[in-house]
Amino acid sequence: MAPLNPTKIICVGKNYAKHAAEMGGEVPAEPLIFMKPPSALLDSGASIVMPSQSERVDYEGEIGIIIGRRATKVSQADAWSYVESILPLNDVTARDLQAKDNQWTRAKGFDSFCPVGTPVPVADVDLDALGVTTRVNGEVRQEGDASDMVFDIPTIIEYISNVMTLEPGDLIATGTPEGIGPLQAGDVVEVEVRGVGKVSNPVVSGTA
Ligand code: MG
């Protein structure tokens, strides 16, 4: 696939009510955003490396979107016209470090912590059927529908673009549904976005 080259990767936290509940919290009153560095990007088939600093590395299957043109202070009504493509994304998270640090840069930012699949042009995607499924070693662990998002994709784009300008190629991870859990070395984790495709990655230990 053509390599992605985002200037930034913006992620939305706690964007499904049942996931917010399993994390022991309420859904936020407005979108909760954080960033992953582009250096975390990983192609399908390449290995997720569990860092030596963490005892618990989790998958988070998500619907990813790629911005197609510069977006500053975009309205919800116009938001879809700024989206170029949709792709499966795994917001891999060092869960123990997320709890330990006051912010999430380290927990979300390790190399290999942002596997992405091949983008599909938004015009070719049935947006009404959009949803995400995560499997570990072939077993379903997460099932979510975009219609269950607390803040839908146009709301997310309006919110983020009123904070920072989104450049062509920038990536947004729209949040994970319930069912998060840990990965072990030797696992294969797969995130599928319905009607879009899959990203599948083996997991290896960084200490081996
Ligand atoms: Mg996430």
Side-chain angles (χ1 to χ4, degrees), residues 11-14 19 34 60-62 89 91-93 108 173-176:
C11 308
V12 183
K14 301 181 182 176
H19 170 61
F34 61 92
E60 290 190 4
E62 307 200 9
L89 183 152
D91 174 20
V92 180
T93 302
K108 299 283 191 174
T174 58
T176 201

Side-chain angles (χ1 to χ4, degrees), residues 10 14 17 24 26 34 39 42 45-46 49 59-60 70 87 107 114 116 119-120 139 141 168 181 183 192 194 197:
I10 311 299
K14 301 181 182 176
E26 302 286 311
F34 61 92
S39 48
L42 188 71
V49 179
Y59 56 83
E60 290 190 4
R70 177 174 261 223
L87 76 177
C114 193
V116 287
V120 172
E139 184 180 299
R141 299 290 179 85
L183 294 166
E192 177 174 12
R194 281 201 292 277

Side-chain angles (χ1 to χ4, degrees), residues 2 8 22 26 60 67 69 71 90-91 93 100 103 109 114 133 146-147 178 180 186 196 202 206:
K8 52 192 172 294
E22 76 180 347
E26 302 286 311
E60 290 190 4
I67 294 296
R69 58 191 175 105
N90 193 342
D91 174 20
T93 302
K100 187 175 176 185
Q103 45 74 44
C114 193
T133 301
S147 58
E178 67 176 323
I180 54 131
V196 172

Side-chain angles (χ1 to χ4, degrees), residues 10-15 28-33 65 67 71-83 146-164 166 172-175:
I10 311 299
C11 308
V12 183
K14 301 181 182 176
N15 199 29
E30 52 187 352
L32 171 63
I33 61 173
I65 62 178
I67 294 296
T72 304
K73 295 180 167 50
V74 168
S75 70
Q76 287 181 40
D78 293 336
W80 275 116
S81 72
Y82 289 84
V83 179
S147 58
D148 290 331
M149 289 180 183
V150 178
F151 302 104
D152 65 11
I153 289 170
T155 303
I156 290 167
I157 292 170
E158 178 182 271
Y159 184 84
I160 297 171
S161 72
N162 275 275
V163 177
M164 64 188 83
L166 291 165
I172 299 174
T174 58

Side-chain angles (χ1 to χ4, degrees), residues 98-154:
Q98 184 184 31
K100 187 175 176 185
D101 295 352
N102 283 329
Q103 45 74 44
W104 300 352
T105 303
R106 181 167 67 140
K108 299 283 191 174
F110 285 96
D111 289 357
S112 80
F113 271 26
C114 193
V116 287
T118 303
V120 172
V122 69
D124 297 339
V125 177
D126 179 359
L127 298 175
D128 293 329
L130 209 52
V132 62
T133 301
T134 306
R135 300 177 187 87
V136 178
N137 305 326
E139 184 180 299
V140 173
R141 299 290 179 85
Q142 293 183 288
E143 282 266 28
D145 294 322
S147 58
D148 290 331
M149 289 180 183
V150 178
F151 302 104
D152 65 11
I153 289 170

